[in-house]
Each structure stands twice: as C-alpha cells, then as structure tokens.
Amino acid sequence: MKRTRYVSAAAAVTLTVCGPVTAAAAVSADAARTVAAAPALRADVTAQGAAAAALKHYPGVVESLDQDGSVWHVDVIGKDGKGHAELEVSASGAVTEQNRDTDGNAAGSKALVSAEVTAEKAMKAALAAHPGQVTAVEWDDDDGTASWHVEVKGKDGKTWDAQVDPTTGKVTRSGSDSGSGSDDGGDT
C-alpha cells in the first residue's frame, strides 16, 4: 500500500512538473514546423521609405531613386553639395553603400541642394495627381530648367510620368507611358 502511494505521488509530481514542459515542447515543435512551412515575409519598402532609409544612412538630398526588383537604387548628394553616395535599399529597409565620393562639384549641385521641393515632396505631389506607387524619381536640370521627374505606377496598372516644379511643387506635366494612347501630355 505504501508503495502504491509513493508511485502515485511520484507520478503526480512528474506530471505536474513535466506536463507543462512536455506540452511546451510539443507546441514549439509544432510552431517550428509551421514557421518552416510559411513563406518568407517581405517588408517591401516604398520609394518614400527607401528615401528615408538612405537619408538616415547618408544625410543630404536625394538626387534620384529607382526600383530594380525589390531593391531601390538611391543617389544622395551631401548637404554641402560636394559629397555623393550611391546606396541600395533592400526590401527590408537595409542600406548598403555602393560608392561614396567626397570631392564633387558643389556649384553643379547648388540648385538641387537649395531646391524648396525635395524628392520626397515631389513624390507626394505626383501621388496627389496620380494615386499609386512611386517607382522612380529623378532630378533633371540638363536642359537648363530644373524639375523633378517622378514615375508612378497607378492603381490601374498604367505608368504615369510626372514633371514636378522644384519651387512650387506643382505637377506641370504628366502623362501615361502605358502605350494605351491615353498620354494627355497636358497640364494637371
């Protein structure tokens, strides 16, 4: 009779102590199978997020950014106008520096560095004119007139090109590059 009590007491203690551990191990093993079977999560970064991440890594002014698959290529001009960095921002927001130059032409970057409308504001203006997702933005002053060129992939699947004034933020020209013949080329 004493032996039965000891065995029963030992079994109760074992179940009390090991029961939760065994249950936790079973849950952990089941969760491990679930996690392994789940697809990898992507935290796709938007153009705005890529610009913010790049500027956090290399303070200055975004000169251009464009998307290549899940990677953003971002060119940043330093606040002094001399420095320049070519950065890549991954889908998770990680920044990798591809190239850095510290002896650029400050006079050539003066208009960009002093522009009232930044790349971020130009993206916002373009999205107000054509809702969707920005896929590229670029500073252009080749023809003597500075402007931002912003490419937006609309919710309808069409790609819109917008020209944004660097002083006012007004979308001065926009049109579709979808090949559907809906390129209005007019002011919005």
Side-chain angles (χ1 to χ4, degrees), residues 16-130:
T16 303
V17 173
C18 295
V21 172
T22 304
V27 169
S28 295
D30 189 42
R33 282 190 297 274
T34 304
V35 170
L41 296 176
R42 288 181 40 164
D44 289 330
V45 173
T46 63
Q48 297 85 340
L55 291 173
K56 185 176 179 180
H57 179 83
Y58 189 87
V61 179
V62 171
E63 179 181 31
S64 68
L65 68 85
D66 65 279
Q67 190 174 27
D68 182 15
S70 62
V71 176
W72 289 95
H73 299 280
V74 185
D75 287 341
V76 178
I77 301 296
K79 291 180 180 182
D80 63 359
K82 293 181 182 179
H84 173 257
E86 295 174 11
L87 309 169
E88 285 187 356
V89 180
S90 71
S92 67
V95 179
T96 305
E97 195 167 300
Q98 300 299 309
N99 188 23
R100 184 185 286 217
D101 180 17
T102 57
D103 60 351
N105 179 2
S109 301
K110 184 178 180 183
L112 170 63
V113 172
S114 64
E116 292 180 39
V117 176
T118 63
E120 296 87 330
K121 290 178 183 177
M123 288 187 275
K124 188 174 181 179
L127 288 172
H130 299 287

Side-chain angles (χ1 to χ4, degrees), residues 143-183:
D143 64 359
T145 305
S147 65
W148 287 105
H149 292 273
V150 183
E151 187 176 284
V152 176
K153 183 173 184 178
K155 294 178 181 180
D156 59 1
K158 295 179 183 177
T159 300
W160 293 91
D161 287 323
Q163 184 174 352
V164 180
D165 184 282
T167 304
T168 65
K170 181 181 176 191
V171 179
T172 57
R173 179 179 54 105
S174 62
S176 172
D177 276 351
S178 66
S180 65
S182 64
D183 183 31

Side-chain angles (χ1 to χ4, degrees), residues 126-150:
L127 288 172
H130 299 287
Q133 291 187 324
V134 173
T135 57
V137 63
E138 181 177 17
W139 175 260
D140 182 16
D141 61 356
D142 292 340
D143 64 359
T145 305
S147 65
W148 287 105
H149 292 273
V150 183

